[in-house]
Each structure stands twice: as C-alpha cells, then as structure tokens.
Amino acid sequence: QERARLLRGQSVQQVGPQGLLYVQQRELAVTSPKDGSISILGSDDATTCHIVVLRHTGNGATCLTHCDGTDTKAEVPLIMNSIKSFSDHAQCGRLEVHLVGGFSDDRQLSQKLTHQLLSEFDRQEDDIHLVTLCVTELNDREENENHFPIIYGIAVNVKTAEIYRASFQDRGPEEELRAARALTGGPMVSIYDAKTEQLRIGPYSWVPFPHVDFWLQQDDKQILENLSTSPLAEPPHFVEHIRTTLMFLKKYPSPTNTLFPGNKALLYKKNEDGLWEKVPSPRS
C-alpha cells in the first residue's frame, strides 16, 4: 500500500524515445542492464488493463508486459520464462513483481484481471515477491460519480530498477501494425531480442476485421461505447487510435505477404541517437 501511495503521488514523466522500448497491449519485452540499446521499458493507456513488471534482482533481467486479461493463464508462464531465458539466471537474488493499472470499473474487469494475475503468479513454482500492487481500487479516483484510473502508464529503468509514472509520445516503430495485431485478437508475443538488441515485429497474420467499413462510419461515441472496455475512462486519443488501426486493417486485410515480404520479421535496432532504425532483413 505504501509503494502504491508513493507511485500515485508522483507526477507523470514524459519519456523521450532515446533508449526506450515501448510495449503495446499484448506485447512483452525483456532485457537486462547489459543491454547497450535499451535502458527503459514502458507502456501506457492502461484502463482496465494491467502493466506487469517482473524483475530478477540478481542479474537485473526485467520484463514489462501490458496484459488485458485475454489469456492470463498462458501469459504468466510466458513472463516467467522470458526472465529465466537469461542464461546467467543468478542463484542469488529474487524475483520481484510489480502490478499497476485498472480501476473500479462498472464491469469489474479490472478486479477480475487483478485476481487472475495474482493467482497465476501464486501458482508458479518459483518464489515471487510482490513488491508493488497499485491496481483496481488502489489505482482508482472518483469524479462526478465516475471512476477513473489514477495511473495510466509506467516506465521501468532497466539499469536502476526504478519504476515511475510515465507517458510516451513515441510508441513506434510499426505502431499501427502492432495495434492491428492486438485488435484482431492476437495472443501475447515477445517483441525484443536482447541478444541482438533488435526489435522483431512479426511475421503476423490475421483474418479480415469483421464489419470494418461499418465501424469506420460510426461516430466517436459509438466507437468509444462499443470498442472500449471502459468508455468513460479512456485517454483522449483513444478513438483516433482505434480509427487509424481500423483504417490500417481495411488497407491490409491479410498482412502476410504485403507487410512481411518473404514472410520474414521486420527488424529494428537503435541507432547512435538512440532512435529506432530499420534493419535490412537477412536474405537466408
């Protein structure tokens, strides 16, 4: 509770693109302090979603993911394995988990997700220490009888382990493509290879989004009410984000060959200025 209170009391820091790896909904990224490209993992726009940070205090391996409750049972083992994949999985040190997000929403989706995450982490064989719990009612504020999350986004500094309230201007690369995958119901995926320090997107496939033209004709209110889990609490750019994602899905109803030539992943690496740059894909 004390950790939650301190986190809620912070002002929101604007995080620039240098050294940042932004994690979208249903994505997972893991790295360690040895990473020469990435020093900050972050995510925001969580309303009923929860942002989960799992860290090993021995080797500093840190995973951040943005969970929406689609398949928590499958996602928690993925999060666990991502940390264990660091071969210098030190004997000394412990696993610490931080859960942030959600609020007291009408449909109790946040509550359900909090419960799922806690019980799944509890079910793991390893000892996991819950260090920060700032979710659901602990992350709730009320205004004119409507409830809202206090914290929508956080960042974690991989080198210092500091976790703080954050918002992000830059959510790239391939923001629309990644959002389209989540909107069409893709499962949780890992997007970063810490060994090569490359962001790997895809190759993804999806079926054409049902009634995409119908949704694109709807007004903001309809989109908000039907395509959000918590219409009143969404950040101001939510509808615009959904519209651009729907336009993208209309343009690329089946992405396999158009977006992923030769069915290969799109690779990005940080350049000297700390910004993402596309890597030519290997010819193999």
Side-chain angles (χ1 to χ4, degrees), residues 12-54:
V12 178
Q13 295 187 42
Q14 277 283 346
V15 178
Q18 275 90 354
L20 167 70
L21 171 48
Y22 182 85
V23 176
Q24 289 204 30
Q25 197 167 330
R26 289 195 206 165
E27 290 183 343
L28 164 161
V30 61
T31 189
S32 79
K34 291 180 178 169
D35 195 315
S37 306
I38 300 299
S39 49
I40 295 166
L41 300 173
S43 191
D44 62 358
D45 289 356
T47 49
T48 56
C49 290
H50 290 11
I51 300 167
V52 179
V53 175
L54 181 68

Side-chain angles (χ1 to χ4, degrees), residues 63-279:
C63 171
L64 183 141
T65 178
H66 186 131
C67 298
D68 60 7
T70 25
D71 193 356
T72 310
K73 222 180 202 52
E75 289 165 4
V76 168
L78 271 180
I79 296 167
M80 295 295 294
N81 289 335
S82 73
I83 291 290
K84 290 178 178 177
S85 68
F86 279 78
S87 53
D88 54 345
H89 184 61
Q91 292 308 304
C92 53
R94 63 180 201 170
L95 288 165
E96 295 186 341
V97 71
H98 308 265
L99 305 179
V100 180
F103 65 109
S104 301
D105 64 284
D106 296 345
R107 293 158 65 188
Q108 297 202 321
L109 294 167
S110 304
Q111 226 169 359
K112 192 175 149 199
L113 180 53
T114 297
H115 181 71
Q116 284 176 352
L117 282 165
L118 288 172
S119 56
E120 281 310 314
F121 274 113
D122 203 32
R123 199 169 284 164
Q124 304 303 307
E125 286 171 7
D126 306 74
D127 281 342
I128 302 159
H129 299 264
L130 179 63
V131 178
T132 309
L133 186 68
C134 188
V135 289
T136 311
E137 51 274 0
L138 293 171
N139 190 40
D140 183 77
R141 67 180 180 87
E142 205 176 328
E143 193 181 303
N144 307 330
E145 294 182 12
N146 291 322
H147 290 264
F148 300 89
I150 297 169
I151 300 174
Y152 282 90
I154 57 166
V156 55
N157 182 317
V158 181
K159 310 234 187 295
T160 65
E162 184 202 355
I163 291 177
Y164 52 93
R165 290 181 68 172
S167 70
F168 309 87
Q169 296 282 253
D170 182 74
R171 297 163 185 206
E174 306 290 350
E175 185 188 349
E176 290 174 353
L177 165 57
R178 292 156 67 188
R181 188 197 73 87
L183 194 63
T184 51
M188 175 78 72
V189 286
S190 175
I191 55 165
Y192 185 69
D193 182 347
K195 287 189 184 70
T196 57
E197 300 187 3
Q198 288 181 343
L199 184 70
R200 299 176 67 90
I201 303 295
Y204 302 142
S205 60
W206 54 69
V207 294
F209 192 82
H211 316 301
V212 68
D213 288 325
F214 166 81
W215 287 114
L216 283 167
Q217 285 159 10
Q218 301 311 302
D219 60 18
D220 289 4
K221 188 168 173 284
Q222 285 298 326
I223 285 183
L224 196 55
E225 282 175 5
N226 291 287
L227 297 179
S228 162
T229 56
S230 49
L232 290 169
E234 291 295 353
H237 52 260
F238 174 82
V239 172
E240 185 196 348
H241 170 73
I242 291 286
R243 277 194 200 284
T244 44
T245 309
L246 289 169
M247 299 277 285
F248 187 89
L249 285 165
K250 182 182 160 105
K251 192 173 174 184
Y252 302 105
S254 83
T256 316
N257 296 322
T258 40
L259 298 173
F260 301 101
N263 206 25
K264 285 191 172 64
L266 306 176
L267 302 176
Y268 285 83
K269 203 173 167 75
K270 290 279 185 181
N271 62 17
E272 277 147 30
D273 301 323
L275 306 174
W276 291 114
E277 217 165 65
K278 201 161 186 177
V279 178

